[in-house]
Amino acid sequence: MFDVNVGSTDRMIRIVAGAVLLALFFFVELGAWGWIVALVGVVMLATGSMSRCALYSLLGINTRGDKAA
């Protein structure tokens, strides 16, 4: 469906940021914003682990460093 378009540095940043956001959701009282933070964290973890980003595909962005995707 989508080509791999997330490079290794971008992937690691997404995974770490997603984990931090989920940790904030579970350990810090954020009120109503907590659910938004959790959703963003899950999306970042998912796109980082799959190395695919739908928004990057729509915008024509590729951080892999090659022209294959």
Side-chain angles (χ1 to χ4, degrees):
M1 185 170 162
F2 294 108
D3 292 330
V4 174
N5 59 3
V6 175
S8 59
T9 303
D10 190 4
R11 183 176 184 230
M12 292 309 299
I13 291 170
R14 287 171 183 261
I15 291 171
V16 170
V20 167
L21 290 174
L22 282 176
L24 282 173
F25 173 73
F26 285 112
F27 297 114
V28 177
E29 180 62 40
L30 298 172
W33 286 100
W35 291 103
I36 296 170
V37 168
L39 179 64
V40 171
V42 167
V43 168
M44 291 186 83
L45 278 174
T47 57
S49 65
M50 293 185 303
S51 297
R52 295 179 179 109
C53 179
L55 184 60
Y56 276 13
S57 293
L58 290 172
L59 297 175
I61 298 171
N62 179 6
T63 60
R64 280 186 63 196
D66 62 354
K67 301 296 180 192

